Amino acid sequence: MRIDKFLSDCKVATRREAEKAIRRGNVLLDGNIVRRADTPVDPACNTVTYCGETVEYRKYIYVLLNKPDGYVSATEDKNERTVLELLPEEVNKFGVFPCGRLDKNTQGLMLLTNDGDLAHRLLSPRRHVEKVYRFESARPLSAADIDRLTAGVDIGGYVTAPCTVTTDGGTAGVITLCEGKYHQVKLMLNAVDNRVLYLERVRFAFLTPDGLDVGAWRYLRKEEIEKLQEYKV
Ligand code: URA
């Protein structure tokens, strides 16, 4: 890859800024001043320095957010605060978007990335990535309600796929879905004449918000990204 593309992929500089920096002698490849914008770089073995700083090659980024109540899962919204407002410029400059949606008043784990292919694979209805939600219902679910929910209920012209539901015998429960229809958990509980009072996503695939305060975020670790990349449609 050309060194100007390397720098613009990493959002360190635009191609034009990279060219300027090269002309000024501010770009080094393995310690040597680069003279041409089309100088080839191998991110796996070369070290690139831009204005005195070493640049790690990174085109795609993957972030886990513990979404608080009150933020919409969108990249922009005229009236509401979006989840992107919880992330710093160093993340947002990569153009990340939420991989799947949580309602404004749903809390919990959200993956954000600029890797459209991966997001598409993880969200594909054929992929069946597990999503686990903790809920609080208005009334306890009966054994018959649980049987109906696990077998599949009509949520307005669509019958949900089999899933698992457990409760503490009272109003607290956990539901594991392999699909992600709009407002699915709320509509499922409505289908058994109940109502969701609180909803939190506690797992997406193998990822959990453990260790992340509500509103906090972190980069995915290399091994987590590799594991997600193994998901094929
Ligand atoms: N199901 C819902 O009803 N809401 C969410 O935010 C996620 C799943």
Side-chain angles (χ1 to χ4, degrees):
M1 151 186 353
R2 295 165 54 119
I3 198 158
D4 56 349
K5 176 156 192 322
F6 174 102
L7 291 167
S8 74
D9 277 358
C10 298
K11 305 289 185 274
V12 165
T14 61
R15 296 281 272 264
R16 185 181 285 257
E17 286 164 350
E19 241 174 67
K20 269 195 201 153
I22 289 168
R23 264 189 262 122
R24 294 196 185 118
N26 282 336
V27 180
L28 308 184
L29 181 64
D30 296 334
N32 302 310
I33 292 182
V34 171
R35 300 284 170 202
R36 296 175 55 118
D38 64 357
T39 302
V41 179
D42 180 349
C45 42
N46 293 135
T47 302
V48 174
T49 314
Y50 180 82
C51 298
E53 303 274 340
T54 302
V55 183
E56 293 293 336
Y57 183 69
R58 189 151 61 158
K59 180 171 182 184
Y60 294 119
I61 62 167
Y62 309 86
V63 158
L64 272 193
L65 171 71
N66 192 352
K67 177 192 170 303
D69 186 352
Y71 288 79
V72 294
S73 308
T75 51
E76 51 189 355
D77 193 285
K78 280 206 187 82
N79 306 309
E80 307 285 355
R81 292 178 296 179
T82 74
V83 286
L84 296 193
E85 292 173 41
L86 296 160
L87 303 173
E89 176 55 18
E90 74 173 61
V91 172
N92 279 325
K93 70 182 179 187
F94 281 87
V96 296
F97 54 86
C99 178
R101 241 186 321 215
L102 290 179
D103 296 336
K104 182 180 166 194
N105 65 353
T106 301
Q107 206 170 291
L109 184 77
M110 170 161 269
L111 173 67
L112 295 108
T113 182
N114 57 349
D115 183 343
D117 280 351
L118 179 78
H120 170 73
R121 292 205 299 282
L122 295 177
L123 297 177
S124 160
R126 277 184 290 156
R127 188 45 260 176
H128 303 313
V129 172
E130 276 190 351
K131 290 129 211 150
V132 182
Y133 297 88
R134 258 183 356 95
F135 63 84
E136 191 72 40
S137 54
R139 288 172 293 100
L141 291 172
S142 66
D145 292 337
I146 293 177
D147 285 348
R148 284 182 61 200
L149 289 169
T150 55
V153 285
D154 189 331
I155 55 168
Y158 175 80
V159 177
T160 56
C163 67
T164 59
V165 180
T166 56
T167 71
D168 64 353
T171 54
V174 174
I175 182 164
T176 303
L177 304 179
C178 291
E179 52 185 353
K181 301 289 175 204
Y182 193 47
H183 296 323
Q184 183 160 346
V185 179
K186 291 173 185 166
L187 293 175
M188 287 177 75
L189 264 73
N190 292 349
V192 294
D193 300 317
N194 210 319
R195 207 155 54 84
V196 167
L197 299 182
Y198 172 80
L199 191 60
E200 178 183 359
R201 182 151 72 190
V202 293
R203 184 158 68 76
F204 176 85
F206 57 89
L207 299 165
T208 71
D210 294 354
L212 279 182
D213 290 340
V214 175
W217 67 277
R218 69 168 174 84
Y219 288 113
L220 280 195
R221 292 182 269 276
K222 191 163 171 276
E223 58 281 10
E224 292 171 327
I225 298 168
E226 284 167 1
K227 208 164 159 188
L228 285 180
Q229 296 289 5
E230 286 165 15
Y231 282 73
K232 301 273 185 298
V233 176

